[in-house]
């Protein structure tokens, strides 16, 4: 009989434990459901809605690049200052000095420097503040008339040399008295003028130690150390120094 009563007591105890355990499980399940629902609501509140307005804001934020980010660009730039330093890839070593109005293809802009194509084999970097993409253009007739004013003894046949390959021009002129080279160009010296050659083409003709003269046309840019006339296909550049000036007629 004692054994039977102990068995009933044990059974009742087990029932109480089961009921308590079941209640706790239900409570924990309910808490879990509530927590999960709150998490879903939080995610929905923080998710970016699909709208054109938000997409525009995302594009704008991506365009705010850090200082060292690269900006890809392919267009034409002009040098705004005479004797502008052009640097190697280290942006310290000077490889060339560009003239006012020099025209190059821009490859990219990085941290205040513009990478330009100097010739077929060489690129360089110039400070972004020293270049412009805008140049007020005159007609070629106006530029040529200005050139004839400052170099009155020059023959118009010289215009035929600019843009031609070096071999063709040398067949007409003969061998130069001297040839000098820098990293970008060759300079072939003849009596009273020299040819600027780049990539085996005559790009410009220069006359040094010319008398100071002022053409009757408004220049594209005018500074104490350089005057630039931008035409449709040609440029005229005047570089005064020591009471004389160097004159350059150049193909764009």
């Amino acid at each position: 009989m004692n054994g039977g009563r102990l068995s009933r007591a044990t059974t009742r105890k087990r029932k109480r434990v089961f009921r308590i355990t079941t209640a706790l499980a239900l409570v924990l399940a309910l808490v879990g459901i509530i927590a999960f629902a709150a998490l879903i609501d939080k995610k929905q509140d923080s998710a970016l809605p699909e709208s054109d307005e938000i997409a525009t804001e995302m594009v704008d934020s991506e365009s705010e690049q850090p200082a060292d980010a690269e900006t890809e660009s392919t267009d034409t730039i002009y040098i705004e200052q005479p004797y502008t330093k052009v640097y190697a890839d280290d942006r310290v070593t000077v490889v060339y000095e560009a003239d006012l109005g020099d025209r190059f293809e821009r490859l990219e802009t990085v941290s205040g420097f513009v990478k330009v194509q100097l010739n077929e084999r060489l690129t360089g970097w110039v400070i972004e503040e020293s270049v412009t993409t805008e140049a007020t253009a005159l007609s070629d007739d106006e530029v040529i008339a200005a050139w004839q004013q400052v170099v009155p003894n020059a023959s118009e046949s010289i215009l035929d040399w600019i843009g031609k390959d070096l071999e063709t021009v040398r067949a007409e002129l003969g061998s130069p008295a001297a040839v000098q080279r820098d990293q970008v160009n060759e300079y072939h010296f003849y009596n009273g003028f020299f040819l600027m050659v780049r990539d085996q083409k005559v790009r410009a003709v220069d006359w040094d130690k010319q008398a100071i003269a002022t053409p009757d046309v408004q220049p594209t840019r005018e500074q104490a150390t350089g005057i630039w006339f931008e035409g449709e296909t040609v440029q005229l550049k005047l570089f005064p120094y020591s009471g004389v000036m160097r004159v350059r007629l150049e193909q764009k």
Side-chain angles (χ1 to χ4, degrees), residues 166-177 188-190 195:
L166 177 60
E167 184 178 353
T168 299
V169 176
R170 285 190 57 165
E172 179 180 344
L173 294 178
S175 297
H188 295 241
F189 289 84
Y190 291 86
L195 309 177

Side-chain angles (χ1 to χ4, degrees), residues 26-38:
L26 290 173
V27 170
L28 291 174
L30 181 61
V31 170
I33 291 171
I34 293 171
F36 180 75

Side-chain angles (χ1 to χ4, degrees), residues 23-67:
L24 286 175
L26 290 173
V27 170
L28 291 174
L30 181 61
V31 170
I33 291 171
I34 293 171
F36 180 75
L39 179 61
I40 293 298
D41 289 340
K42 183 176 180 181
K43 288 184 176 180
Q44 289 177 343
D45 290 342
S46 64
L48 290 175
E50 296 180 0
S51 72
D52 292 340
E53 182 179 358
I54 296 299
T56 301
E57 291 177 1
M58 291 174 65
V59 170
D60 290 343
S61 65
E62 289 174 359
S63 66
E64 296 175 3
Q65 301 173 353

Side-chain angles (χ1 to χ4, degrees), residues 95-99 102 104 118-119 166 170 175-190 193-206 246 248 250:
V95 296
Y96 183 63
E97 283 192 345
D99 277 332
D102 278 1
F104 298 109
L118 296 171
N119 57 27
L166 177 60
R170 285 190 57 165
S175 297
V179 176
Q180 296 179 2
R181 296 177 177 83
D182 57 28
Q183 293 277 60
V184 178
N185 304 311
E186 293 181 352
Y187 306 93
H188 295 241
F189 289 84
Y190 291 86
F193 62 89
F194 64 88
L195 309 177
M196 186 189 81
V197 178
R198 183 181 303 161
D199 301 325
Q200 294 303 300
K201 289 187 179 296
V202 176
R203 304 293 184 176
V205 182
D206 284 47
R246 175 168 60 89
R248 169 168 288 179
E250 183 170 351

Side-chain angles (χ1 to χ4, degrees), residues 55-241:
T56 301
E57 291 177 1
M58 291 174 65
V59 170
D60 290 343
S61 65
E62 289 174 359
S63 66
E64 296 175 3
Q65 301 173 353
D68 289 334
E70 296 185 0
T71 302
E72 296 295 334
S73 178
T74 303
D75 57 9
T76 299
I77 60 94
Y78 296 90
I79 301 296
E80 283 204 294
Q81 297 288 336
Y83 315 114
T84 292
K85 289 179 173 34
V86 183
Y87 299 94
D89 283 342
D90 61 8
R91 301 180 215 172
V92 175
T93 306
V94 177
V95 296
Y96 183 63
E97 283 192 345
D99 277 332
L100 171 69
D102 278 1
R103 185 174 182 267
F104 298 109
E105 178 188 357
R106 184 213 307 254
L107 302 177
E108 60 182 335
T109 302
V110 180
S111 303
F113 283 83
V114 176
K115 187 176 185 179
V116 296
Q117 190 73 47
L118 296 171
N119 57 27
E120 290 180 346
R121 57 183 173 76
L122 184 66
T123 60
W125 298 85
V126 294
I127 297 174
E128 188 174 10
E129 293 178 352
S130 67
V131 309
T132 182
T133 57
E134 298 180 358
T136 303
L138 307 167
S139 69
D140 279 351
D141 288 342
E142 289 176 305
V143 173
I144 292 169
W147 162 63
Q148 291 173 328
Q149 283 184 274
V150 296
V151 191
N153 298 324
S155 170
E156 284 196 26
S157 62
I158 290 173
L159 297 172
D160 296 333
W161 303 341
I162 302 175
K164 287 190 174 179
D165 62 273
L166 177 60
E167 184 178 353
T168 299
V169 176
R170 285 190 57 165
E172 179 180 344
L173 294 178
S175 297
V179 176
Q180 296 179 2
R181 296 177 177 83
D182 57 28
Q183 293 277 60
V184 178
N185 304 311
E186 293 181 352
Y187 306 93
H188 295 241
F189 289 84
Y190 291 86
N191 184 25
F193 62 89
F194 64 88
L195 309 177
M196 186 189 81
V197 178
R198 183 181 303 161
D199 301 325
Q200 294 303 300
K201 289 187 179 296
V202 176
R203 304 293 184 176
V205 182
D206 284 47
W207 295 262
D208 200 6
K209 298 180 180 178
Q210 297 296 300
I212 297 289
T214 304
D216 298 328
V217 63
Q218 184 68 31
T220 301
R221 296 280 193 284
E222 183 172 6
Q223 303 170 15
T225 53
I227 306 170
W228 163 30
F229 301 84
E230 179 76 7
E232 298 158 325
T233 64
V234 293
Q235 297 176 322
L236 176 66
K237 303 171 185 178
L238 313 178
F239 299 103
Y241 70 98

